[in-house]
Amino acid sequence: MARGILWIVLAGCSSHPPSAAQFMNMKNKSFGFGSGGTLRTGNLYDGKCNNYDHNDYFCVEEARDLDLAFFYRIHYGVFGLSLENFTPNLHAGFLSQYVGLQGWAWTGMGAVEERYGRGGSFYGGVMLIEELPITEKFRIGASEHISRNVYKVDENLGGISFWSADAFGEYGVGAYVSFWGASLEYRYGREIGKSNNRFYFTLNYVFGLKEKTPEEKQRRRELKSALNRYEVLRSELNVRKEKVKWLIRTKENQGSVTEEEIEEEKRQLQELKNAVEQQRMIVQRMKWNLSN
């Protein structure tokens, strides 16, 4: 019963190597959400299953899929969860300026293999990535991977049809271009132990919360201090304006206020106005520098 529910939830039953560019696009982010799609061609399993001597097995390795991923980065480590046509993968890896190492894995599939005694239900892999930044926003990269992939199997046993899964090993290489979080990627895969070749074309985009550098954090602290200073000066300016108005009214009502006192307060009021305007320009400049 539990197993049947698992296959309903994981109706996609498809797992192939994830995007290298998507992983490397986490370089400047704390959190990231990626979405995209993959077109796959070559010697896909589509029809009678070659791995098993049973006419009632029908293999369906999908030629396209939708990819969704959520990543979290802390220092040089990246962790996350992705979905390929609803099939999950857990991710963990290392990420630096020029090199990334991405691993992914899950368990719970491989029902056909288990009955034939050819392995367990684990699938996943590891990928080494090398990246060269051309500019701050435009990058190119290459990847090498080895993996255990999964595709769907329609089992018609005893006249009853239900979805299962099968797996195969693969190694391969890839290349990509990435600009401002969007990437276009090509990958070649060779099935281990067979002459089957696969070709992947992936387009995706990663957006998320940008990580604050130590310099940016310092600039934000300085901006906060400048804003506080600006608010203090504005409050002092309002108090000074009221004082000048009070002095003028007192003198008009024959109070003990001299013209010299009023002029001195007006002079100080003008100096305070200039200070407020200068601080406002400082705040604006700091905001502009922080956003560029």
Side-chain angles (χ1 to χ4, degrees):
M1 178 66 180
R3 188 169 191 171
I5 294 174
L6 176 65
W7 292 124
I8 292 174
V9 173
L10 305 182
C13 295
S14 175
S15 177
H16 296 81
S19 169
Q22 183 172 255
F23 182 81
M24 295 300 286
N25 278 335
M26 279 298 299
K27 192 177 299 181
N28 298 319
K29 295 179 176 62
S30 298
F31 297 92
F33 177 76
S35 62
T38 299
L39 295 178
R40 190 178 302 107
T41 186
N43 303 116
L44 307 180
Y45 288 111
D46 184 13
K48 184 178 178 181
C49 298
N50 296 324
N51 289 341
Y52 305 98
D53 299 325
H54 201 299
N55 294 328
D56 288 336
Y57 289 163
F58 187 82
C59 294
V60 184
E61 186 178 359
E62 296 168 336
R64 58 184 179 273
D65 56 65
L66 174 66
D67 303 312
L68 300 174
F70 174 79
F71 291 106
Y72 170 69
R73 187 172 74 85
I74 176 169
H75 301 301
Y76 292 102
V78 178
F79 309 91
L81 173 69
S82 70
L83 297 175
E84 180 185 313
N85 287 346
F86 306 105
T87 303
N89 283 296
L90 288 175
H91 293 253
F94 166 83
L95 181 60
S96 67
Q97 180 70 18
Y98 301 104
V99 177
L101 181 63
Q102 174 179 205
W104 65 98
W106 195 261
T107 187
M109 294 188 181
V112 181
E113 279 199 334
E114 288 173 354
R115 281 195 292 278
Y116 277 79
R118 296 183 181 176
S121 56
F122 166 84
Y123 63 90
V126 64
M127 178 182 293
L128 179 64
I129 310 166
E130 305 86 22
E131 184 173 271
L132 176 63
I134 304 301
T135 67
E136 183 180 355
K137 298 170 182 156
F138 178 68
R139 305 186 300 273
I140 61 175
S143 66
E144 302 82 36
H145 74 272
I146 183 168
S147 62
R148 189 169 190 263
N149 304 340
V150 171
Y151 59 92
K152 288 192 292 188
V153 176
D154 184 5
E155 298 193 55
N156 298 289
L157 303 179
I160 301 176
S161 176
F162 61 93
W163 287 113
S164 184
D166 195 12
F168 65 91
E170 179 185 280
Y171 64 92
V173 296
Y176 65 86
V177 294
S178 178
F179 179 76
W180 198 260
S183 61
L184 179 63
E185 187 170 348
Y186 165 79
R187 186 167 59 248
Y188 163 76
R190 175 85 168 187
E191 186 169 345
I192 297 175
K194 293 188 177 182
S195 59
N196 294 341
N197 299 308
R198 288 169 178 81
F199 308 93
Y200 303 80
F201 301 90
T202 301
L203 179 66
N204 60 43
Y205 181 73
V206 174
F207 59 92
L209 179 63
K210 184 179 179 182
E211 182 188 40
K212 297 180 180 65
T213 64
E215 293 79 10
E216 185 179 2
K217 292 178 181 178
Q218 178 62 27
R219 289 200 299 268
R220 288 186 179 276
R221 287 193 292 267
E222 292 173 353
L223 174 59
K224 184 178 180 180
S225 177
L227 283 169
N228 291 337
R229 174 63 177 163
Y230 177 63
E231 293 300 325
V232 169
L233 288 173
R234 287 186 60 188
S235 297
E236 292 179 0
L237 179 62
N238 291 332
V239 172
R240 184 73 64 177
K241 285 180 180 179
E242 293 300 320
K243 184 176 182 181
V244 170
K245 290 179 183 179
W246 179 82
L247 289 172
I248 292 174
R249 287 196 301 268
T250 301
K251 186 175 185 303
E252 290 175 349
N253 294 327
Q254 307 300 318
S256 57
V257 176
T258 64
E259 190 68 33
E260 288 77 10
E261 289 178 318
I262 295 176
E263 290 301 320
E264 176 61 22
E265 287 296 329
K266 285 183 176 180
R267 184 188 66 79
Q268 294 184 21
L269 177 63
Q270 186 59 48
E271 290 180 354
L272 196 52
K273 284 182 177 179
N274 294 338
V276 170
E277 180 61 21
Q278 289 177 2
Q279 190 67 20
R280 185 186 68 82
M281 294 177 64
I282 290 173
V283 169
Q284 286 185 339
R285 184 170 62 252
M286 293 176 72
K287 286 183 176 179
W288 187 89
N289 291 336
L290 193 60
S291 62
N292 292 275

